[in-house]
Amino acid sequence: MKVQKVFSIFLFILSTMSSTLAQDYSAYKKERFVKGQDTLPYRILLPKNYDATKKYPMILFLHGSGERGSDNELQLTHGADLFLKPEVQAQFPAIVVFPQCKENRSWNNTAYNIAYGKRVFNYPAVVKPNVHQELLESLIDNLKSEYPIDAQRLYIGGLSMGGMGTFEAVLRNPDLFAAAFAICGGANPRISETLSNTPFWIFHGEQDNVVPIQGSRKIYEALKEKNADVKFTAYPGVEHDSWTNAFAEPELLPWLFSKSR
């Protein structure tokens, strides 16, 4: 009996610790944007002490392929906790939006094939139809009509599939975003001219075997040739989860919020 009682107490303590350590995302309000026959779930976080008479910057974050679906929850897996930190909310008040891409769809039109056991990505060089990019654009317009958003301080970022989608969103809207950051993504160097007026910070793990670093490195080099405002951070020994390093960068948010149109 004593052993069983001790074990029960241990399980109770463990479950209590787990619930305490779990991040509470309820501050991100659940919403759904509907356009015609299409629906885009999204979560929106308003600044602490939100004041509708003030203008706020807006950050749009695009998740990776593993967070696709319609539950309006999985997209908060990576990055959402950063904007809940009290020090971030105090120093960088902003409207933060995490949309969710439908299963079997994508934020980008990138395709890939397998060569010698490795993925080779074919990044698009021109704008192509993409339902979810079109939904994003309509969502942004809708949010600008509902909230006091500073149109000169719209930011976008994403990881993996969302990193590629970040490049595509700027390609489609070259005069919309004040700055962008792309984590473990990639883009076709031929689109650098169109991207060159938007400041970019690109992140990638050097040992990424899911999305090879070459896609990020090539677009960075092409942007540098255009004298663009671009930064590139490569993490030695890091694989695909370079978002952990990127979100821990102390200068990411100061850099992002320093940009305006």
Side-chain angles (χ1 to χ4, degrees), residues 36-179:
Q37 300 299 312
D38 297 306
T39 300
L40 183 67
Y42 69 95
R43 301 290 286 269
I44 182 167
L45 176 69
L46 297 180
K48 191 174 182 179
N49 302 318
Y50 172 74
D51 182 348
T53 65
K54 295 181 179 180
K55 291 277 190 179
Y56 295 98
M58 183 175 76
I59 303 171
L60 192 72
F61 188 80
L62 309 183
H63 62 77
S65 60
E67 294 76 59
R68 290 178 291 189
S70 57
D71 64 354
N72 213 0
E73 293 183 1
L74 276 175
Q75 75 266 38
L76 299 179
T77 302
H78 304 298
D81 54 342
L82 172 63
F83 301 102
L84 290 175
K85 292 181 177 180
E87 63 272 25
V88 169
Q89 292 187 328
Q91 189 174 358
F92 305 107
I95 294 172
V96 184
V97 180
F98 278 68
Q100 185 177 36
C101 183
K102 186 182 293 185
E103 189 70 37
N104 298 321
R105 303 300 288 266
S106 180
W107 300 124
N108 64 84
N109 289 307
T110 300
Y112 72 88
N113 54 59
I114 305 297
Y116 303 103
K118 295 183 178 181
R119 291 182 178 185
V120 178
F121 284 82
N122 301 305
Y123 299 107
V126 296
V127 173
K128 296 181 179 180
N130 184 302
V131 170
H132 274 67
Q133 284 286 347
E134 292 165 8
L135 283 171
L136 284 175
E137 292 164 357
S138 296
L139 172 62
I140 292 171
D141 288 339
N142 182 260
L143 292 172
K144 286 165 67 176
S145 68
E146 288 190 15
Y147 296 96
I149 294 169
D150 184 350
Q152 303 304 308
R153 300 184 70 198
L154 297 180
Y155 308 112
I156 188 168
L159 63 87
S160 195
M161 177 187 77
M164 301 174 199
T166 296
F167 288 114
E168 286 209 21
V170 177
L171 175 64
R172 293 172 61 99
N173 305 275
D175 300 315
L176 181 60
F177 301 104

Side-chain angles (χ1 to χ4, degrees), residues 19 33 58 62-63 80 130 199 219 223 235 237 248 253:
S19 61
F33 175 70
M58 183 175 76
L62 309 183
H63 62 77
N130 184 302
I219 187 62
L223 286 168
Y235 299 110
L253 294 184

Side-chain angles (χ1 to χ4, degrees), residues 112-261:
Y112 72 88
N113 54 59
I114 305 297
Y116 303 103
K118 295 183 178 181
R119 291 182 178 185
V120 178
F121 284 82
N122 301 305
Y123 299 107
V126 296
V127 173
K128 296 181 179 180
N130 184 302
V131 170
H132 274 67
Q133 284 286 347
E134 292 165 8
L135 283 171
L136 284 175
E137 292 164 357
S138 296
L139 172 62
I140 292 171
D141 288 339
N142 182 260
L143 292 172
K144 286 165 67 176
S145 68
E146 288 190 15
Y147 296 96
I149 294 169
D150 184 350
Q152 303 304 308
R153 300 184 70 198
L154 297 180
Y155 308 112
I156 188 168
L159 63 87
S160 195
M161 177 187 77
M164 301 174 199
T166 296
F167 288 114
E168 286 209 21
V170 177
L171 175 64
R172 293 172 61 99
N173 305 275
D175 300 315
L176 181 60
F177 301 104
F181 62 99
I183 306 169
C184 57
N188 193 313
R190 290 167 56 189
I191 70 174
S192 59
E193 180 69 38
T194 305
L195 302 185
S196 62
N197 289 326
T198 302
F200 261 93
W201 193 344
I202 302 167
F203 303 89
H204 219 115
E206 289 187 352
Q207 304 305 314
D208 194 328
N209 57 6
V210 177
V211 180
I213 193 173
Q214 286 81 0
S216 287
R217 183 169 283 133
K218 287 180 179 179
I219 187 62
Y220 165 72
E221 293 170 349
L223 286 168
K224 286 295 289 183
E225 288 183 2
K226 302 295 182 183
N227 295 314
D229 180 354
V230 59
K231 301 175 66 172
F232 180 48
T233 300
Y235 299 110
V238 174
E239 298 183 352
H240 190 52
D241 64 341
S242 52
W243 51 82
T244 302
N245 301 72
F247 291 134
E249 289 283 351
E251 291 305 311
L252 173 57
L253 294 184
W255 172 85
L256 190 70
F257 282 89
S258 71
K259 307 298 182 181
S260 62
R261 275 286 172 188

